[in-house]
Amino acid sequence: MKKKLVAAILLSISAFTRISAEETLEITADSAVQAALDTNASVKKGAITLNQAKREYKHAWNNFLPEVSASATGTAQDNSLSATGQTRTVSGGVSASLSLSASLIQKIRLLKESYQSGQADYEDTVRDVETTVRKAFYSILYQQQSVESYKANVKSYEKQYEQTKTRKERGLVPEIDLLTAEVNLKSAKLDLKNAEKDYYNSVIDFLNEIGLETNPAETEVVFKGTLDDADAFTERENEPPTKEKIDELVDNSPSVRSAKSELATAKLNKTYTATSSYLPSLNLSASVSPFEKTYYKDSGETVDSDSWSASVGVSIPLDGLVPGSAKMDSVLEKDDTIKTLELELSDTKKSVRTQIIEKIHDIEISNETIEERKLNMELAKKTYEMTEEAYSRGTKDLLTVQNALDSYRSAQVEWRKEQYNLISYVLDLENLLGLESGSLLKN
């Protein structure tokens, strides 16, 4: 019963994957990146945060607007001991107040720094998504090449099987050779199915990652790209960067930029706290009550009146001058934060410098490796072709042909794998330096 159930499931899957596609979806690295940016939650959240910081900075002028309020009151009073007796009063007025201090300038600078830092953070988020998607895209291309290699394996083993079968019928090879050829063919077909399954799953994961709700079984998904982009990069004249160039790259990297921004914010916070704690502030207030009507019940008399008031005050904080006070400690804490961030900035520069040098070294080694892998693949291909021809003439045995084929396919996969490695290194370097994703791979 279990065997029948498993067979039914496998048959259903096989039929599902063979459904003829009704439409074709062509995906390039750029279109995949755009699709991801349109749907990625981190990018959308970053845009919301950036818009909020932009609004706060653009509306910083509202710190100079007074607080304004309007009021309307009605009162009733009954005092038998008073000559006025019972009274009814209705009044309305407007009041405004404004507090100005030197710390307002620092507050506006903080808002500006927050906005500029938010812009850079948003760009970093976008670049991270672009790098991740491009690496995944090239990974798909690498898996495509692997599937094609397995398909070629199947064709080669089919050819070997037919040749061996013919030779067996002529009595030129023993029965074991035919059985070996048959086992190799079935193993190659099974390897191909597993490779196709892994590729299919990777495509689904990739489409989900970039936000495309498409079923590859119903829509033919075509990835338009090539791992030979690595060869285009390899053929360039890439000179090792000088120390001065590396210093420039370090200073312009997103990680260092972020550390610098954090340090600048801390310094502005210290200035803002100090000005709030030590410098005086100007307090302005005014109120006007143009309408006030009082009705005296005993006399039946109604009196209209109005009133206004204005005040100017200066507030001088003194507790910040007391050693050990909370405000003085707050300023000292900001100093400690600045010193810590300066140390972190120094460490970040060292770390980024190391990462840049390591990544450049990885790229240089990968460049050389690609050349070696390609030559090895071409040699293995030529060896296999010669061995296969010799087998057809009966001067080589089946095992020699199989070894030559395995060596050729292995060399081919290793070459494509190193191409993918180089592309990944280059994309990581772009992200590390804050460059446009894919810019170093373009001709």
Side-chain angles (χ1 to χ4, degrees):
M1 181 65 182
K2 286 186 176 179
K3 290 184 177 180
K4 291 183 179 180
L5 179 60
V6 172
I9 293 175
L10 291 177
L11 183 62
S12 300
I13 294 175
S14 177
F16 177 73
T17 56
R18 289 198 299 269
I19 294 176
S20 58
E22 298 180 357
E23 45 183 279
T24 300
L25 174 63
E26 185 177 276
I27 299 178
T28 65
D30 290 337
S31 66
V33 166
Q34 189 58 54
L37 295 180
D38 291 340
T39 59
N40 185 270
S42 297
V43 173
K44 290 184 176 182
K45 290 177 182 178
I48 294 173
T49 302
L50 177 59
N51 286 333
Q52 180 181 357
K54 180 180 179 180
R55 182 174 62 251
E56 290 176 353
Y57 170 59
K58 294 296 184 181
H59 296 169
W61 51 267
N62 61 26
N63 286 278
F64 296 96
L65 291 179
E67 293 184 6
V68 180
S69 62
S71 63
T73 60
T75 60
Q77 184 178 6
D78 185 1
N79 190 343
S80 58
L81 298 179
S82 172
T84 58
Q86 295 181 355
T87 60
R88 303 289 186 269
T89 303
V90 178
S91 64
V94 178
S95 62
S97 62
L98 176 64
S99 179
L100 300 174
S101 69
S103 61
L104 279 177
I105 303 299
Q106 302 305 320
K107 182 178 180 180
I108 294 174
R109 289 179 179 174
L110 274 170
L111 292 173
K112 180 179 180 181
E113 179 64 29
S114 177
Y115 170 52
Q116 293 176 339
S117 177
Q119 277 185 310
D121 289 341
Y122 177 73
E123 292 171 0
D124 291 344
T125 300
V126 170
R127 190 166 46 252
D128 286 341
V129 172
E130 289 181 346
T131 300
T132 300
V133 171
R134 288 186 187 276
K135 290 176 70 173
F137 178 83
Y138 282 105
S139 177
I140 291 290
L141 295 183
Y142 170 65
Q143 286 186 282
Q144 274 187 339
Q145 292 295 331
S146 296
V147 170
E148 292 303 316
S149 179
Y150 282 114
K151 287 181 179 179
N153 261 4
V154 170
K155 290 182 179 180
S156 297
Y157 280 118
E158 284 177 342
K159 183 178 180 181
Q160 285 182 19
Y161 175 75
E162 293 300 328
Q163 287 179 338
T164 305
K165 184 178 180 181
T166 301
R167 296 186 68 190
K168 171 64 176 59
E169 291 172 350
R170 295 176 181 176
L172 299 176
V173 295
E175 180 72 21
I176 189 65
D177 279 11
L178 182 60
L179 291 174
T180 301
E182 184 178 3
V183 170
N184 289 338
L185 176 57
K186 290 183 177 180
S187 296
K189 288 182 177 179
L190 182 58
D191 290 341
L192 174 59
K193 286 184 178 180
N194 287 327
E196 288 177 333
K197 180 198 69 175
D198 293 340
Y199 172 71
Y200 181 82
N201 291 337
S202 296
V203 170
I204 293 178
D205 291 340
F206 180 76
L207 294 176
N208 288 336
E209 182 178 355
I210 65 177
L212 294 180
E213 297 180 359
T214 301
N215 189 337
E218 300 173 353
T219 302
E220 181 184 4
V221 182
V222 178
F223 292 92
K224 189 176 180 182
T226 174
L227 291 172
D228 291 336
D229 289 344
D231 294 340
F233 181 84
T234 302
E235 293 168 0
R236 293 181 179 179
E237 296 182 1
N238 297 305
E239 298 182 357
T242 61
K243 179 181 180 302
E244 291 73 17
K245 181 62 177 177
I246 290 181
D247 289 339
E248 180 183 347
L249 295 175
V250 169
D251 286 334
N252 294 332
S253 69
S255 297
V256 173
R257 187 275 314 158
S258 179
K260 286 181 177 179
S261 176
E262 194 172 357
L263 177 59
T265 300
K267 290 180 177 179
L268 287 173
N269 262 320
K270 177 197 170 182
T271 305
Y272 175 73
T273 303
T275 53
S276 300
S277 301
Y278 302 139
L279 297 183
S281 59
L282 179 65
N283 302 308
L284 306 175
S285 64
S287 65
V288 58
S289 181
F291 172 78
E292 183 174 319
K293 185 182 291 290
T294 302
Y295 170 69
Y296 298 91
K297 185 177 180 181
D298 292 347
S299 61
E301 181 182 3
T302 300
V303 177
D304 295 331
S305 63
D306 58 67
S307 63
W308 64 270
S309 67
S311 66
V312 177
V314 176
S315 176
I316 303 176
L318 298 178
D319 53 333
L321 303 176
V322 179
S325 66
K327 288 186 177 180
M328 180 170 285
D329 284 348
S330 180
V331 174
L332 294 176
E333 286 175 5
K334 297 297 186 293
D335 274 330
D336 294 338
T337 300
I338 290 173
K339 293 176 183 177
T340 301
L341 291 176
E342 286 175 340
L343 293 173
E344 291 179 359
L345 174 59
S346 178
D347 286 343
T348 301
K349 286 185 176 181
K350 292 177 184 178
S351 176
V352 170
R353 173 186 292 277
T354 300
Q355 292 178 57
I356 290 175
I357 294 174
E358 288 178 348
K359 199 61 65 177
I360 291 175
H361 184 65
D362 288 339
I363 290 173
E364 291 174 349
I365 297 298
S366 186
N367 268 329
E368 298 175 4
T369 304
I370 284 179
E371 295 178 4
E372 185 274 333
R373 293 281 192 270
K374 189 173 183 179
L375 289 174
N376 186 50
M377 182 270 298
E378 292 172 349
L379 175 61
K381 180 181 180 182
K382 187 67 176 177
T383 301
Y384 166 65
E385 291 173 348
M386 294 174 64
T387 304
E388 186 182 38
E389 183 180 352
Y391 176 72
S392 65
R393 296 196 306 264
T395 58
K396 293 289 184 180
D397 59 21
L398 180 61
L399 181 59
T400 303
V401 179
Q402 292 168 357
N403 290 338
L405 176 59
D406 291 341
S407 297
Y408 169 48
R409 297 306 178 199
S410 176
Q412 190 178 41
V413 170
E414 287 299 316
W415 171 50
R416 291 301 188 182
K417 181 179 180 181
E418 196 57 44
Q419 284 184 316
Y420 171 69
N421 288 341
L422 176 60
I423 291 173
S424 296
Y425 294 148
V426 173
L427 290 172
D428 287 338
L429 181 62
E430 290 171 347
N431 195 24
L432 182 63
L433 301 180
L435 301 177
E436 179 186 355
S437 180
S439 59
L440 295 179
L441 294 172
K442 296 177 182 177
N443 293 326

